[in-house]
Amino acid sequence: MDKSDDEVEEDETEWKSSFVDSVPSSLASASGPRVDRTAEPIPAAHRVILHFDLDCFYAQVEMIRNPALRGVPLGIQQKYIVVTCNYVARDQGVTKLMSVTHAREKCPQLVLVNGEDLTHYRETSYKVTELLMSHTPLVERLGFDENFVDVTKMVDTRLAETPESSNFTFKGHVSSHFSADVEARDHPRLVMGSHIAAELREAMHSKLGLTGCAGIATNKLLAKLVSGTFKPNQQTSLLPENVSNIMGCLASLRKVPGVGHQTARRLQALGLVSVKDLQLFPLSDLVKEFGGPSAQRLKNLALGIDDSPVTPTGAPQSLSDEDSFKKISSTQDVLEKIEELLSSLVERMHKDGRQPQTFRLTIRRYAATNKWFSRESRQCPVPKDIGHLFTSGRTEDVVVQLVPLAMKLFHKLVDSSAAFHLTLINVCFSNLQTRGKGSITSFFTERMSSRRIQCQDDSSQRGGPFMDHQFHAHSLTSQDSSQKAAPIKSPRSSDAASHGSPVVAVEDRSLLKVFCSTDGSEFDKSDSKLKNPLPPNVDPEVFRLLPEEIQKELLTPIYANSLPSTSLSSDTANDAPSTMTNKSSKSFTGSENASDVKEAVDDSCPPDRQGSVDAGEKVKGEGRLSFCFPRNVDPKVFSELPLDVQMELMSEWKQENPVLKNSPTRKPARSLMAKDRKAPGKPSQENNLLKYFKPS
DNA sequence: AAGCAATAG
DNA sequence: GGTTCTATTGCTT
């Protein structure tokens, strides 16, 4: 999940007082013509960019799903790795990407929740993006737990409406050594940005129950760099005066966003290890190594200059599903794994509502010579005749059509007449086309009308009168490429691009107001609610045991929606059975005959005494569920299954008697469950994109 | 359009 | 640096 240096916390946070003045002249070029700051009004061409970063996101999601996990050391497990953990666990020495064995040594009471199924994280992630988008369309996602927001226009609007007398001090921290009142007077736009950031963080907390950090600066690079200065759940603003200070404090070039391992290695080969080294290195020499554009970009990054615009992300451009394992070496096993992956991916594709034009299979082969992180892939068009099946809901039909296709690609990759050893398989749909206007139009007319200002100018609207530009742009790019100019990526088009150019959104002033509402009224209007009864699956006894504050939180509408009812309706319902199918009937992850994988996963976490169990049992029916769930069976989802299915599963688990089914043509367990889940929850999910952008 | 490398969380 | 499970962009063919 993470690159493990989210933990830098303290090492870069002590900003030195030394103000190195070799940079400002170049900085001036980033913010337009040199202007005497003291004499002139603040240049309007200055962007205000926010970066949001949720605190240990996966752990937060799990603690919302199961509040009993609050206050206990919690880790999120994928295979034999603790990919992330909450702060209680961190206090006891658990870190991201630590092996389960090592984590348990550090923290014997560590509670582990399996996080291999990303459904809930993905859903919550998009709720965050969507919440931000309800204030301005310029929101760019970075992974599941970070967002950039360009609030330049909001700042301008508010500043114009703000009387002189208003309190003008920064919200949150300011990374600067200057005194606070001087800073605030000199940087009203950043001050305003810090107020907006605080409001948005508060909205995330009150509406979604999530906490996180924010960085406020004049570009994405800087906003991201400062956002983690004070963790958790705090925000910090960066003043332009302090830019070179910040950059100089970075421990290494690797810490510069955009400089990965390879780039860092090549830079090191040139003798460059610190940010300062790169700042002072002759551009011409850099060009020899990296070529013109890359060299300039690198140099700019080292100086804290980043012209890249906040590019609205919109709906995802590809959906993929993958699984890693110790070893797969037979074609039969490959086929079953592919079928398993495709089942859940096709289901996701169906809920998305778009139709994929291309399909890709990728593998990772084991190689003793430690080259085994590289992947190989083959792709092909999705046959026209099965495209409509995605929207028609017969997902099993799609799977049976797709499996042979996938196997064809597999045989392009692997000579199965020789021995092979795979450690990962990934299936991916891309080139997603929006079709079947029905669901899409209702989506927009009902909930997204205000977002249509996303469209650039009216002339650029093609591909359907009802289509929101956001999805239009991302899904139809290939066909209307003419003068599209859509979300610009041009690195050259600095600040001016995001304001002046007709290409980028939010030209219409009156519409702008709809978005950039400056008062809190916007915040409250989503769910005006009913008295909240406990959701049916919450044990009232357990509920009473929770801290009062948690109880209150749970009774707010947002929780009423996202608690157990979530696992009943929509995606969760359909994905949960597949998880159980994986564990109970498939050969690799759950049952005896995959001893190597079982070893890897279960040795450190015996199936009978999993941390997640304790929490799970409390949710419902302690008496009946006296045994332990297998790993990553969601107890809440389980509890909502028909009783007979529950019994069947329990007897399976108790006997540790895998349902051995070798017929690859059908998957009785899965399809049966998938159907059963659809009925009780929400009456079958419409094909739409609400999954990504429905207002909570 | 295909395949991969690099970067990101 | 790699472990997991994604997702995006840009280079090369």
Side-chain angles (χ1 to χ4, degrees):
Chain A
M1 173 202 185
D2 258 44
K3 318 238 339 195
S4 85
D5 42 17
D6 171 74
E7 309 296 330
V8 277
E9 327 260 333
E10 310 309 337
D11 45 344
E12 288 131 31
T13 57
E14 18 164 321
W15 315 119
K16 305 197 197 103
S17 301
S18 63
F19 180 51
V20 184
D21 208 344
S22 58
V23 176
S25 60
S26 27
L27 283 180
S29 69
S31 38
R34 193 80 167 98
V35 176
D36 183 5
R37 199 163 53 70
T38 59
E40 300 280 50
I42 303 301
H46 227 239
R47 294 187 295 167
V48 180
I49 306 297
L50 311 184
H51 175 261
F52 292 93
D53 190 346
L54 278 326
D55 301 326
C56 41
F57 179 55
Y58 286 10
Q60 271 202 269
V61 171
E62 294 299 340
M63 292 189 294
I64 288 172
R65 280 160 51 75
N66 184 166
L69 294 174
R70 286 181 193 276
V72 310
L74 171 66
I76 306 302
Q77 176 178 188
Q78 288 172 339
K79 296 299 182 307
Y80 55 92
I81 298 286
V82 177
V83 293
T84 190
C85 59
N86 66 4
Y87 275 91
V88 181
R90 286 181 201 196
D91 289 343
Q92 307 190 28
V94 182
T95 66
K96 291 182 174 183
L97 301 177
M98 183 179 256
S99 80
V100 167
T101 313
H102 193 251
R104 279 212 208 278
E105 285 169 12
K106 287 277 190 178
C107 176
Q109 335 87 295
L110 183 65
V111 173
L112 289 171
V113 169
N114 184 282
E116 287 167 29
D117 182 343
L118 304 188
T119 304
H120 303 293
Y121 313 134
R122 195 156 34 220
E123 284 176 359
T124 306
S125 170
Y126 274 99
K127 283 188 187 171
V128 171
T129 300
E130 170 197 309
L131 171 61
L132 294 170
M133 286 202 315
S134 73
H135 295 260
T136 173
L138 295 181
V139 180
E140 178 178 342
R141 294 163 55 79
L142 185 57
F144 279 8
D145 68 340
E146 297 182 26
N147 289 275
F148 291 102
V149 185
D150 186 331
V151 293
T152 305
K153 291 284 186 177
M154 289 177 74
V155 165
D156 288 343
T157 304
R158 288 197 188 190
L159 245 26
E161 295 169 352
T162 300
E164 319 276 321
S165 58
S166 294
N167 72 327
F168 243 58
T169 74
F170 279 97
K171 284 270 201 268
H173 300 92
V174 181
S175 91
S176 156
H177 52 277
F178 302 111
S179 77
D181 28 326
V182 173
E183 297 155 6
R185 273 198 295 279
D186 281 351
H187 302 287
R189 324 186 82 250
L190 287 171
V191 170
M192 204 67 256
S194 77
H195 285 240
I196 293 170
E199 287 170 24
L200 292 175
R201 288 202 303 126
E202 174 52 31
M204 282 183 218
H205 184 61
S206 63
K207 295 192 155 194
L208 302 176
L210 295 164
T211 65
C213 294
I216 301 95
T218 53
N219 64 232
K220 292 202 289 182
L221 198 230
L222 298 172
K224 180 169 169 55
L225 276 178
V226 289
S227 71
T229 307
F230 298 96
K231 293 194 214 182
N233 196 22
Q234 293 164 80
Q235 65 178 236
T236 121
S237 304
L238 174 65
L239 307 187
E241 293 93 320
N242 213 33
V243 167
S244 74
N245 190 12
I246 282 249
M247 298 309 298
C249 286
L250 292 185
S252 75
L253 278 169
R254 202 41 255 286
K255 304 289 180 185
V256 179
V259 177
H261 294 127
Q262 302 307 315
T263 307
R265 260 203 315 109
R266 292 169 70 184
L267 289 170
Q268 194 168 9
L270 298 175
L272 311 179
V273 293
S274 74
V275 172
K276 206 63 71 65
D277 292 340
L278 180 51
Q279 288 176 355
L280 300 175
F281 195 70
L283 180 62
S284 54
D285 292 353
L286 211 55
V287 170
K288 288 174 199 153
E289 249 303 302
F290 295 90
S294 299
Q296 186 61 252
R297 166 126 246 264
L298 284 170
K299 186 119 196 179
N300 280 345
L301 290 177
L303 294 169
I305 297 170
D306 174 20
D307 292 340
S308 67
V310 173
T311 304
T313 301
Q317 315 208 353
S318 65
L319 302 193
S320 67
D321 210 339
E322 72 185 33
D323 202 358
S324 64
F325 28 76
K326 281 278 189 281
K327 179 177 190 178
I328 281 187
S329 53
S330 80
T331 307
Q332 175 66 25
D333 289 349
V334 167
L335 190 144
E336 290 178 12
K337 178 58 72 180
I338 283 176
E339 191 184 4
E340 175 188 326
L341 290 169
L342 271 178
S343 284
S344 88
L345 185 62
V346 166
E347 188 62 33
R348 274 214 277 148
M349 202 62 248
H350 173 238
K351 286 180 204 145
D352 178 286
R354 288 172 294 173
Q355 293 177 16
Q357 302 280 105
T358 113
F359 173 70
R360 176 167 59 230
L361 178 76
T362 112
I363 62 167
R364 184 180 63 189
R365 335 166 90 110
Y366 174 80
T369 65
N370 221 0
K371 170 70 176 176
W372 71 304
F373 28 83
S374 83
R375 295 170 171 211
E376 305 159 69
S377 68
R378 292 294 181 270
Q379 68 185 228
C380 67
V382 172
K384 291 282 175 235
D385 51 316
I386 75 169
H388 75 282
L389 281 177
F390 280 95
T391 43
S392 80
R394 272 317 305 147
T395 66
E396 286 302 321
D397 292 349
V398 186
V399 173
V400 304
Q401 297 278 123
L402 247 28
V403 164
L405 200 61
M407 292 309 289
K408 199 190 73 188
L409 295 177
F410 169 71
H411 285 112
K412 284 193 186 185
L413 285 160
V414 175
D415 173 14
S416 54
S417 70
F420 61 90
H421 182 335
L422 306 186
T423 62
L424 176 142
I425 296 180
N426 174 102
V427 292
C428 176
F429 290 129
S430 60
N431 200 354
L432 275 17
Q433 296 269 167
T434 305
R435 302 277 297 264
K437 40 235 145 182
S439 56
I440 294 292
T441 44
S442 67
F443 168 58
F444 293 116
T445 50
E446 280 179 53
R447 3 236 336 190
M448 294 278 287
S449 50
S450 65
R451 270 169 224 181
R452 306 185 92 243
I453 39 170
Q454 250 307 52
C455 310
Q456 315 147 359
D457 54 300
D458 295 337
S459 65
S460 73
Q461 275 222 265
R462 296 171 290 272
F466 303 112
M467 234 169 257
D468 181 290
H469 171 66
Q470 215 158 229
F471 307 110
H472 175 226
H474 284 276
S475 54
L476 299 179
T477 298
S478 52
Q479 31 207 60
D480 53 5
S481 51
S482 44
Q483 69 286 61
K484 161 130 263 187
I488 9 160
K489 286 291 183 180
S490 81
R492 290 271 55 95
S493 62
S494 72
D495 293 5
S498 43
H499 312 3
S501 151
V503 179
V504 165
V506 198
E507 290 296 39
D508 186 317
R509 271 266 152 186
S510 56
L511 286 174
L512 184 68
K513 297 249 177 174
V514 175
F515 264 135
C516 311
S517 74
T518 53
D519 55 310
S521 64
E522 178 83 355
F523 285 7
D524 299 329
K525 77 163 193 235
S526 78
D527 324 274
S528 26
K529 56 323 307 328
L530 15 132
K531 253 25 216 152
N532 317 288
L534 273 188
N537 317 324
V538 173
D539 185 332
E541 309 246 340
V542 174
F543 184 83
R544 271 195 291 107
L545 296 177
L546 295 171
E548 191 174 21
E549 221 182 81
I550 305 291
Q551 289 189 15
K552 280 209 211 125
E553 275 187 44
L554 287 172
L555 287 178
T556 65
I558 197 70
Y559 287 97
N561 288 338
S562 64
L563 258 192
S565 57
T566 287
S567 42
L568 242 197
S569 68
S570 72
D571 318 70
T572 324
N574 298 315
D575 280 2
S578 70
T579 301
M580 289 189 279
T581 309
N582 296 347
K583 298 308 163 196
S584 59
S585 73
K586 277 307 186 179
S587 48
F588 298 109
T589 39
S591 47
E592 297 59 34
N593 45 1
S595 48
D596 43 3
V597 171
K598 206 168 149 50
E599 204 169 72
V601 176
D602 290 343
D603 272 359
S604 42
C605 340
D608 276 354
R609 255 314 154 196
Q610 278 302 283
S612 60
V613 166
D614 310 344
E617 281 178 337
K618 294 186 182 168
V619 173
K620 174 174 185 174
E622 325 216 34
R624 272 202 293 124
L625 305 182
S626 53
F627 74 104
C628 298
F629 287 110
R631 259 178 354 101
N632 65 1
V633 170
D634 184 336
K636 279 177 283 193
V637 173
F638 177 85
S639 70
E640 292 159 9
L641 291 169
L643 193 57
D644 53 323
V645 178
Q646 285 189 20
M647 308 265 280
E648 191 182 326
L649 288 170
M650 283 191 291
S651 70
E652 261 178 49
W653 294 333
K654 278 184 172 164
Q655 300 162 23
E656 294 205 327
N657 188 11
V659 205
L660 270 188
K661 47 171 244 42
N662 354 3
S663 156
T665 58
R666 257 299 177 184
K667 311 196 59 184
R670 173 187 303 283
S671 50
L672 200 156
M673 307 267 284
K675 277 185 228 214
D676 289 350
R677 304 303 296 120
K678 288 197 166 194
K682 233 163 113 182
S684 133
Q685 192 74 12
E686 307 95 70
N687 308 341
N688 57 28
L689 298 175
L690 291 179
K691 174 169 183 201
Y692 304 108
F693 296 108
K694 75 178 158 226
S696 63

